[in-house]
Every structure is written in structure tokens, then in C-alpha cells.
Amino acid sequence: MEVMKTQYYAASSLDGFIATEDDSLEWLFSLANLQESSYSEFIAEVGALAMGSATYEWMVRNAAKVAAETGSPWPYTQPVWVFTCRVLSAIEGADIRFVKGDVRQVHNDMRLAAGAKNIWVVGGGDLAGQFYDAGLLDELIIQIGSVTLGKGKQLFPRRVLSPILRLSSVRQMGTAMVELRYEVGK
Ligand SMILES: NC(=O)c1ccc[n+]([C@@H]2O[C@H](COP(=O)([O-])OP(=O)(O)OC[C@H]3O[C@@H](n4cnc5c(N)ncnc54)[C@H](OP(=O)(O)O)[C@@H]3O)[C@@H](O)[C@H]2O)c1
């Protein structure tokens, strides 16, 4: 049986940014077609999600766009843990828990909720880094788009040198994207 994993699954520019400095993802939508990506296979195996507040607020601000793309303004049926030190409003009908601080306690709760499924750390990069720092990140699955942004929100603001990430698969998706999977050495 597959072992349950904690995965950082995200799309990046070639120069390592997941959003522009003002949180735009417009650069990404022209590159990627959700239906042709690994997303549907991936999300079917996810039992719990974690995201930072900027990612959550992007979803709230872009609810119409998300609905057009996925069929629902809040596309997740799984419970979602949103990290924030502020008081944010919840989305009606969404299973959202607002949390702050140490990711380890939260990860325990997520593990229990996810059961035999995986945990998806949606982003941003520093939140994925916090899971990495705690030794809780198992895999990075990164779709790299054929664009550069020059500056923006970083994919993974950490220095990972040893053990190096182990490349486990490479998948070309047309001429605008490649998906790389890396296992995190422990
Ligand atoms: N391309 C992709 O695949 C992809 C994937 C994910 C996200 N994105 C986009 O990339 C951008 C990410 O933004 P971001 O880098 O700023 O990251 P983020 O993780 O979404 O948000 C960062 C904020 O989350 C809160 N936070 C993080 N860790 C916390 C902790 N341990 N305890 C309490 N609060 C915590 C803090 O804000 P407060 O405490 O002030 O709330 C922090 O400033 C967004 O625009 C998002 O839409 C893109």
C-alpha cells in the first residue's frame, strides 16, 4: 500500500515564483489547463489541506474565477486548515479551520482527518518551508511554467542542500509546462 504523504503541490515560474508580488496568478492561467494536468489524480488522494492566509484570501477574492474553472467557488470537499494570526471570515459551506503557530500540532490534527489519504500543503512557499523545517514534508510536486516573473512570491524560500531532494519523476505537459516530483530526504 502507498504510504500517506505530506505534499507541496504548486505551480511555479521558471525563476521560482508562485505568484507576482501583488498575488496575481494571471501568468499561470494561460499556461495550464486544469483538465490536462495531474490535478484530478492528485486531489483524489488528498484528505486534508493547509494554506496560508494570502492563498486563502486569493481564493476568496477570485471566487468567480475559481468557480468558472472548477465549477464551485470553494472547490474543496476536504477539511482545510488556514494559517493566520488575524481574524478572517469563513466561506459558507466550506470546512475551514483557522489556526496559527507551530505546524506540528496542526499536522497531527490533519493526519487524523486525512486518514489513509495525503496532506496537501497548498502554499505559500514559506508555509511549505515551515512543514519542511519540522521534518514533516515528504514530497514536492512542482509544475514549472515556461515564463519568468523577475520577482514575486517565492516557491520555497529555504536553502536545501543536504540531503538533496531526490528527483522521482519528470512529466512534460505540452510546451509550456513540466512537472517535477521530488522526494524530501530525511
Ligand atoms: N502557483 C501556485 O501553485 C500557488 C500555490 C499556492 C499559493 N499561490 C499564491 O501565492 C501567493 C502566496 O502568498 P504568500 O507567499 O504570502 O503565502 P501564504 O502562505 O499564502 O500567506 C502567508 C501568510 O500566512 C500567515 N501565516 C503563515 N504561516 C503562519 C503560521 N505558522 N501561523 C500563523 N499565520 C501564518 C501569515 O499571515 P497573517 O498572520 O497576517 O494572516 C503570512 O503572512 C498567493 O497569492 C497565492 O494565491 C500560488
Side-chain angles (χ1 to χ4, degrees), residues 35-102:
Q35 276 70 47
E36 286 168 14
S37 78
S38 59
Y39 183 75
S40 55
E41 273 163 64
F42 167 77
I43 194 71
E45 296 305 317
V46 170
L49 288 71
M51 62 178 69
S53 63
T55 301
Y56 176 70
E57 290 182 302
W58 186 94
M59 298 278 305
V60 172
R61 265 198 323 279
N62 293 275
K65 188 175 200 61
V66 175
E69 189 83 10
T70 67
S72 164
W74 184 256
Y76 310 119
T77 52
Q78 304 91 332
V80 179
W81 279 257
V82 175
F83 283 81
T84 184
C85 297
R86 294 171 294 137
V87 177
L88 301 178
S89 348
I91 295 174
E92 213 184 293
D95 185 351
I96 293 169
R97 299 109 201 255
F98 294 103
V99 289
K100 63 178 170 217
D102 197 330

Side-chain angles (χ1 to χ4, degrees), residues 149-168:
L149 296 175
K151 54 186 181 320
K153 300 291 181 82
Q154 288 185 65
L155 170 66
F156 199 64
R158 291 295 185 277
R159 188 167 291 180
V160 181
L161 298 176
S162 177
I164 59 164
L165 302 171
R166 205 178 73 83
L167 184 63
S168 60

